[in-house]
Amino acid sequence: MQTLSTHSKQTFKRAFENSFTHIQEMAAQFLFGTAERILNSLTTLAAEEIGLLWGVEDELNRLMNTISTIKAVLLDAEEKRAAGDHAVKDWLEKLQDVVYDADDFFDDVSTEALRREIMTHDKKAKKVCISFSTSNPLVYRHEMAHKIKAIRERLDAINADRASFHLEVRDAETRVVSRETFSFVRERSIIGREDDKKAVIDRLVDSNVEDDVSILPIVAIGGLGKTALAQLIFNDEQIKKHFQLKMWVCVSDPFNVKDIVGKILESAKNSKQEDVQMNTPVNYLRKEIDGKKYLLVLDDVWNEDHRKWSELKEVLMGGVSGSRILVTTRTERVARICGTVESYSLRGLKEHASWSLFMQMAFEKGQEPEENSSIAVIGREILKKCSGVPLAIRTIGSLLRFKKSETEWLNFKNDKLSKVPQNETDILPTLKLSYDQLQSHLKHCFAYCSLFPKDFNIDKSKLIQLWIAQGFVKLSDQSRCLEDVGNEYFMDLLWRSFFQEAKTDEFDNVTHCKMHDLMHDLTSLEAGSLITTLDDKEMNFDEKIRHVSIGCNISTLSITTSLCKATSLCKASGIRTFLRPTTNYYDGGESYCEAIVSSFKLLRTLDLHRQHSPRIRFLPSSIGMLKHLRYLDLSYNFFLKKLPNSITELHNLQTLLLFSCFQLEELPEDMQKLVNLRHLDIDECHRLNYMPRGLGKLTNLQTLSKFAIHRDPLSNDSGGLKELNGLNNLRGQLRIENLRHGKDVASECKAANLKEKKHLHALTLQWLCDEGINYSDSDVDVDDSDVDVDAELMLEDLQPHQNLKVLRFQLYDCMSLRLPSWLSSLTNLVRLELYRCTKCQYMPPLSQLPSLKKYYCLNVPLDDEIDDESYHYLFKPIIGKVMEVFRPGWLP
């Protein structure tokens, strides 16, 4: 490859960066707000990557000039598109297609440079790399120049068309984002629904109703708070005393009687039921409700099929007199089909209640600002546009919370709110105001959520990983972590009420959320033709589709058949996301996987999880062709035994999910080639008993759910604990399995460098009693004091960082040792768990752990040996402080 001078590198690099930056900024204000992607920042562009395009700087400069010209009028074009100018809309869509192609092109260049760099460091491939580099650089650069020229010519044609639209040149919008410190307030008591609550309860407990089991619908448009009202009623003390059994089921769409009956049964028994035949849950449910006065809430019913409703109603008629079914729905038609009594129509909040809710959302203290009464006057005028709809009030109020000056509030009222239609039943335009005020990166993230079905419980971590895979998360500070920035995006949307029903873990971290149906409608509107959900009714692949979500009821046969139609394939070749957001298992096969891999070469996200098929024991080696892939979900593939080594050719891969692949026996030996891998979830992979060599080179890893030490100390193909040495970016939980006595393991405990892993929040240390033998299931009696001494030293060397919150010891019966002295230094430890430590001789005083809230000990013989003095020393200081102590047959 031609050597470049320092000056030439810098000059060319600036031209390349400028071209990229302008394309990126174009996309920032783009149609539907979803196209900002292009590439990672090129400020760290490698010299070899520059060399790949050396000689094409003239084409790049022309490309940059064309983009600059178009960029200058984009803001005006976007406003005309929003106002209904269809010609401008078509123009922007053409522009969008070119931007995606430019993105793919630059990603190809970066990937090729990365591949060459990896090959250069791989001794086995070094000769091949050198041969390729010396014989083909001119050919490669010629091809790249041709592609750049083609992109530029397409942009030139688009640029020529813009004159007919009379677009004005405008400066880019400048938004000041102030990150103020404020506490996240969970949903407080529902405001303004006291009268509604009393009216509905009176009707539910009315003894004059003739039907033994009556059905009362609550009807209102989306966003008025039907579910919130039903929750208030469901949890009311009068209701608790009046009904013997209460059940809650979210129905949504589709209306599947078998699934609904199963959910009702789960709610009645408060436990998950196995997947069984239809007649079984029906019989079980009848046993649960027969002879009882019950209340059942069926939330969010859309079904207008009288036959399906009659089928469900027949199952529910077994309760005694006074049983009630409360239904929430958006339409009177549904209410007439299902209701047996007159429906209750929920209206908008009254003015006083609306203002109370608005103040709670818009002002930091939930009260009118005394120092600026003019803002309150403007706020009341804005509130009139919300028509008493709680969801609209919450979203607009949350948006205004970030605006502090009277001028900002006045501009919002005059420039934005005045464009909202006056139709009080049309909530989407009101909610869209919040969307329009979002920064472009949040628009992409929000619109992407339309891939999930309505009422879906969205996993925050997974969602952030999906955003990162699509390039939606940007770093302004290279020292920061993408996941941390993605978490800020998520919390920003949550605070602005785009998400709701946030669930938290024991550490008060948000883990899951849902989207209100109305918000989901808004995401679908803004995503437009870029995102679609496939089902058995609609399997046409539009050429505009970039992100595909697979419906829960669609068969793999339907997908495979459709993908094998050439006319359909050529249209959808630009798909970047293939997601199956469902907890249902499906019968995939090799042809299904092959069809997806061969059809969608530009995929960034591929979801193949929950393929409950014995045919999926091995993935097709062709998966290595997806060079753009960032996210691959293979979790819950119970029969998957091995990954093809070609998977290590996915050099851009960031997330590899293998959770609950029970039969997976090994990872590819060249895992170190996945240099961008950030998340490797191999939890519950029970047959995966060793890690490959070179894993420690993946210094970007943040998730490594377990690290298994090979049971054979003579194994040459496995990596020892020293592989963990440099993985100091690890987060979440880490489980170290198969610890044992032996010089090979003992010498590496300190090298694991756990003390430097300050982001880990949970650590499990699982011990084998002897080499290759797990004594948790063995009757072998080992009495070797040397083993215990070495084990104690090893434990001392496995000291974690003091930030650790959860610590588990699994030492097993054969070990007689003292727990490590560093235990008392874990001042942030919230939970401590001991399993089968039957011969532990020393327990540090738990009073030295000030943050401890939960203490579990299973098969720890302290109840047999502990004396009064030891009891007071160990446990008395924590009685009343530790929230939960679990010890079968023993409580201190």
Side-chain angles (χ1 to χ4, degrees):
M1 182 173 292
Q2 182 177 354
T3 303
L4 304 179
S5 68
T6 302
H7 177 73
S8 297
K9 286 181 185 178
Q10 292 176 346
T11 301
F12 177 70
K13 182 176 178 180
R14 281 195 296 270
F16 198 9
E17 287 174 353
N18 287 338
S19 297
F20 159 74
T21 301
H22 283 299
I23 296 176
Q24 186 183 45
E25 289 177 352
M26 281 171 55
Q29 305 298 331
F30 215 48
L31 182 67
F32 305 130
T34 58
E36 185 182 19
R37 156 71 178 103
I38 314 306
L39 273 178
N40 292 328
S41 175
L42 301 181
T43 55
T44 57
L45 202 63
E48 183 173 356
E49 193 168 347
I50 299 172
L52 288 175
L53 292 181
W54 178 246
V56 299
E57 56 267 44
D58 288 342
E59 282 294 342
L60 283 170
N61 282 324
R62 291 174 188 155
L63 177 63
M64 180 183 66
N65 292 334
T66 301
I67 293 172
S68 297
T69 304
I70 296 175
K71 171 179 172 285
V73 298
L74 270 180
L75 291 178
D76 190 39
E78 177 60 22
E79 284 200 7
K80 285 183 169 60
R81 193 278 307 173
D85 191 322
H86 295 291
V88 173
K89 178 177 179 291
D90 292 340
W91 181 77
L92 285 171
E93 286 181 344
K94 292 176 183 177
L95 181 58
Q96 179 175 259
D97 291 338
V98 183
V99 169
Y100 272 114
D101 290 343
D103 180 15
D104 294 331
F105 165 74
F106 285 122
D107 202 34
D108 281 336
V109 176
S110 288
T111 302
E112 175 61 20
L114 182 59
R115 185 189 70 84
R116 294 188 182 201
E117 182 180 355
I118 292 172
M119 290 178 68
T120 301
H121 292 91
D122 184 352
K123 294 180 180 179
K124 293 182 292 185
K126 192 170 184 178
K127 292 183 179 180
V128 178
C129 179
I130 293 174
S131 174
F132 181 85
S133 298
T134 55
S135 59
N136 295 320
L138 294 178
V139 174
Y140 183 86
R141 287 198 289 270
H142 176 74
E143 293 175 353
M144 295 303 100
H146 179 74
K147 291 182 179 180
I148 293 174
K149 182 180 180 181
I151 292 172
R152 194 255 305 161
E153 288 177 346
R154 291 170 62 191
L155 282 172
D156 283 343
I158 291 172
N159 188 35
D161 291 340
R162 73 178 176 86
S164 60
F165 303 129
H166 307 291
L167 300 175
E168 298 178 3
V169 175
R170 294 190 183 182
D171 294 330
E173 284 185 336
T174 56
R175 287 195 175 109
V176 179
V177 183
S178 57
R179 290 231 170 253
E180 302 179 22
T181 58
F182 58 92
S183 61
F184 170 62
V185 181
R186 306 193 186 284
E187 292 186 3
R188 299 175 181 174
S189 300
I190 306 302
I191 294 176
R193 292 303 186 193
E194 294 81 8
D195 292 342
D196 297 302
K197 173 185 172 183
K198 183 180 184 305
V200 174
I201 289 178
D202 288 344
R203 295 174 66 173
L204 290 175
V205 301
D206 186 0
S207 60
N208 296 321
V209 178
E210 296 181 357
D211 296 326
D212 287 345
V213 181
S214 66
I215 304 172
L216 170 61
I218 298 177
V219 183
I221 60 173
L224 269 180
K226 300 181 296 295
T227 300
L229 176 60
Q231 288 170 337
L232 281 177
I233 295 165
F234 189 80
N235 294 301
D236 184 79
E237 287 300 322
Q238 184 180 355
I239 292 294
K240 290 180 181 178
K241 294 176 182 178
H242 188 80
F243 295 98
Q244 296 171 270
L245 174 65
K246 296 192 307 172
M247 299 166 287
W248 179 288
V249 171
C250 180
V251 179
S252 293
D253 215 26
F255 192 94
N256 184 292
V257 176
K258 177 185 175 182
D259 291 343
I260 295 170
V261 170
K263 289 180 180 179
I264 297 173
L265 180 60
E266 288 177 12
S267 181
K269 297 177 70 66
N270 197 27
S271 63
K272 181 76 173 177
Q273 304 298 303
E274 296 296 330
D275 187 17
V276 290
Q277 298 301 316
M278 177 63 185
N279 61 329
T280 306
V282 167
N283 293 334
Y284 283 158
L285 180 58
R286 282 175 173 161
K287 290 179 182 178
E288 289 294 323
I289 64 176
D290 281 352
K292 295 179 182 177
K293 184 189 294 186
Y294 72 81
L295 171 67
L296 169 63
V297 176
L298 296 178
D299 186 40
D300 197 26
V301 178
W302 291 78
N303 172 59
E304 296 182 359
D305 187 331
H306 192 279
R307 179 183 56 82
K308 287 184 178 181
W309 179 255
S310 297
E311 184 180 354
L312 177 61
K313 184 178 177 181
E314 181 65 24
V315 179
L316 299 173
M317 291 297 108
V320 300
S321 178
S323 294
R324 301 288 184 263
I325 300 174
L326 186 64
V327 173
T328 69
T329 180
R330 293 191 184 191
T331 69
E332 276 291 346
R333 179 178 173 82
V334 172
R336 287 197 298 269
I337 291 174
C338 70
T340 62
V341 296
E342 183 182 357
S343 61
Y344 185 85
S345 296
L346 189 63
R347 305 299 182 186
L349 295 177
K350 295 179 180 178
E351 183 177 351
H352 176 73
S354 295
W355 180 243
S356 296
L357 179 58
F358 183 84
M359 286 193 297
Q360 178 179 303
M361 303 306 298
F363 305 126
E364 289 186 7
K365 297 180 180 180
Q367 299 175 347
E368 294 184 21
E370 297 178 357
E371 68 280 3
N372 194 343
S373 59
S374 298
I375 282 185
V377 174
I378 299 170
R380 288 184 180 275
E381 295 178 12
I382 292 174
L383 188 62
K384 294 178 183 178
K385 292 287 185 177
C386 295
S387 303
V389 178
L391 181 60
I393 297 171
R394 286 181 180 276
T395 50
I396 295 242
S398 297
L399 175 64
L400 290 169
R401 192 183 188 96
F402 296 90
K403 299 181 183 298
K404 302 300 182 183
S405 70
E406 179 180 339
T407 300
E408 288 178 301
W409 280 57
L410 196 59
N411 288 340
F412 180 86
K413 181 181 79 74
N414 295 333
D415 298 340
K416 302 293 183 182
L417 203 61
S418 60
K419 299 177 183 178
V420 179
Q422 297 298 314
N423 185 358
E424 65 176 2
T425 63
D426 193 357
I427 308 301
L428 278 181
T430 304
L431 296 181
K432 190 177 180 300
L433 284 174
S434 295
Y435 174 83
D436 290 339
Q437 289 293 305
L438 288 176
Q439 292 177 285
S440 57
H441 60 270
L442 292 180
K443 288 181 179 179
H444 313 145
C445 295
F446 175 65
Y448 194 77
C449 293
S450 64
L451 286 167
F452 298 100
K454 288 185 176 181
D455 200 47
F456 188 80
N457 202 25
I458 302 173
D459 185 308
K460 183 189 76 170
S461 295
K462 179 173 181 177
L463 179 60
I464 292 172
Q465 290 167 13
L466 291 170
W467 286 344
I468 293 173
Q470 296 300 323
F472 296 155
V473 179
K474 301 295 181 184
L475 292 180
S476 56
D477 180 356
Q478 295 302 314
S479 66
R480 301 199 62 198
C481 171
L482 282 168
E483 285 75 9
D484 287 342
V485 176
N487 185 66
E488 290 181 2
Y489 289 6
F490 178 92
M491 296 305 296
D492 207 343
L493 289 170
L494 180 63
W495 288 328
R496 295 172 186 265
S497 300
F498 286 90
F499 297 140
Q500 64 174 16
E501 295 187 40
K503 295 182 180 179
T504 58
D505 60 16
E506 61 183 301
F507 309 117
D508 209 30
N509 298 314
V510 176
T511 60
H512 293 78
C513 72
K514 290 185 178 182
M515 295 179 67
H516 191 281
D517 283 358
L518 207 57
M519 286 298 187
H520 194 283
D521 293 341
L522 181 60
T523 65
S524 301
L525 175 68
E526 294 307 316
S529 62
L530 292 174
I531 297 178
T532 191
T533 298
L534 299 183
D535 53 39
D536 282 323
K537 298 177 182 177
E538 182 61 52
M539 281 299 296
N540 292 321
F541 290 85
D542 188 274
E543 61 182 8
K544 303 295 183 184
I545 295 174
R546 300 292 176 173
H547 308 286
V548 172
S549 178
I550 306 302
C552 59
N553 294 321
I554 193 171
S555 67
T556 56
L557 177 62
S558 298
I559 298 173
T560 306
T561 302
S562 181
L563 293 178
C564 291
K565 296 178 181 179
T567 55
S568 179
L569 284 180
C570 63
K571 292 182 179 180
S573 59
I575 288 178
R576 295 180 167 212
T577 299
F578 192 88
L579 193 67
R580 195 180 184 106
T582 177
T583 57
N584 297 331
Y585 291 95
Y586 61 103
D587 188 16
E590 187 173 346
S591 59
Y592 171 74
C593 298
E594 287 278 10
I596 295 171
V597 171
S598 61
S599 302
F600 308 134
K601 304 288 193 214
L602 300 177
L603 280 175
R604 269 68 170 174
T605 294
L606 176 57
D607 185 352
L608 295 173
H609 84 298
R610 293 185 185 271
Q611 292 192 88
H612 193 54
S613 170
R615 290 177 289 168
I616 301 298
R617 296 180 183 271
F618 306 95
L619 284 180
S621 59
S622 59
I623 199 168
M625 299 168 58
L626 302 179
K627 59 184 179 180
H628 298 277
L629 199 64
R630 266 81 172 171
Y631 181 101
L632 178 59
D633 188 354
L634 298 170
S635 56
Y636 295 99
N637 282 295
F638 298 149
F639 299 96
L640 183 64
K641 285 192 171 184
K642 189 176 181 180
L643 300 176
N645 209 53
S646 62
I647 207 169
T648 63
E649 297 172 14
L650 304 177
H651 304 313
N652 287 312
L653 194 65
Q654 299 166 343
T655 300
L656 178 57
L657 304 181
L658 297 166
F659 179 85
S660 289
C661 291
F662 298 142
Q663 297 194 39
L664 185 67
E665 297 174 347
E666 61 182 10
L667 296 173
E669 61 179 9
D670 293 329
M671 284 289 289
Q672 69 270 18
K673 291 183 179 180
L674 299 178
V675 294
N676 283 304
L677 196 64
R678 305 176 70 85
H679 304 281
L680 177 60
D681 190 349
I682 49 178
D683 204 16
E684 303 297 331
C685 294
H686 301 306
R687 293 194 178 185
L688 186 60
N689 289 318
Y690 70 92
M691 301 291 103
R693 288 183 180 274
L695 194 68
K697 295 180 181 180
L698 304 181
T699 54
N700 288 317
L701 267 182
Q702 295 194 21
T703 300
L704 181 61
S705 48
K706 86 167 187 175
F707 188 96
I709 303 168
H710 204 299
R711 299 189 180 198
D712 181 3
L714 301 179
S715 172
N716 293 321
D717 55 356
S718 64
L721 277 174
K722 62 182 179 182
E723 297 283 355
L724 292 173
N725 183 273
L727 303 183
N728 293 331
N729 292 317
L730 289 180
R731 299 181 173 212
Q733 63 177 355
L734 172 63
R735 176 184 176 88
I736 300 179
E737 297 183 352
N738 304 338
L739 284 164
R740 65 177 185 278
H741 168 64
K743 293 182 179 179
D744 61 312
V745 178
S747 63
E748 294 187 347
C749 285
K750 197 163 191 175
N753 198 24
L754 296 184
K755 196 173 183 179
E756 297 300 319
K757 294 167 179 43
K758 61 183 179 180
H759 302 295
L760 276 183
H761 84 259
L763 175 65
T764 300
L765 299 176
Q766 181 258 332
W767 212 277
L768 290 180
C769 208
D770 196 14
E771 294 179 1
I773 302 176
N774 187 331
Y775 281 90
S776 64
D777 301 313
S778 173
D779 295 328
V780 178
D781 185 18
V782 178
D783 185 14
D784 188 340
S785 59
D786 291 337
V787 172
D788 294 333
V789 171
D790 286 348
E792 290 179 7
L793 294 175
M794 292 167 66
L795 275 179
E796 291 293 341
D797 287 339
L798 290 171
Q799 179 176 357
H801 194 278
Q802 65 179 11
N803 287 345
L804 198 72
K805 295 181 182 294
V806 179
L807 178 61
R808 302 181 184 92
F809 289 109
Q810 295 181 352
L811 301 181
Y812 297 122
D813 299 348
C814 63
M815 303 184 68
S816 175
L817 49 73
R818 298 162 61 92
L819 291 180
S821 61
W822 46 255
L823 184 59
S824 58
S825 70
L826 301 181
T827 54
N828 293 295
L829 198 67
V830 174
R831 191 196 318 161
L832 175 62
E833 302 178 12
L834 304 177
Y835 296 96
R836 307 199 66 163
C837 307
T838 57
K839 296 186 179 181
C840 287
Q841 297 178 342
Y842 169 74
M843 170 71 72
L846 301 183
S847 59
Q848 295 182 12
L849 303 176
S851 301
L852 192 67
K853 293 183 179 179
K854 295 185 179 181
Y855 170 61
Y856 298 84
C857 51
L858 182 62
N859 288 351
V860 180
L862 293 175
D863 56 330
D864 298 327
E865 303 175 6
I866 192 167
D867 54 29
D868 290 341
E869 182 179 355
S870 299
Y871 165 78
H872 285 281
Y873 176 66
L874 287 173
F875 297 109
K876 190 166 185 179
I878 68 168
I879 298 301
K881 179 176 77 71
V882 176
M883 293 172 57
E884 184 174 352
V885 178
F886 173 72
R887 171 73 170 89
W890 174 82
L891 286 175

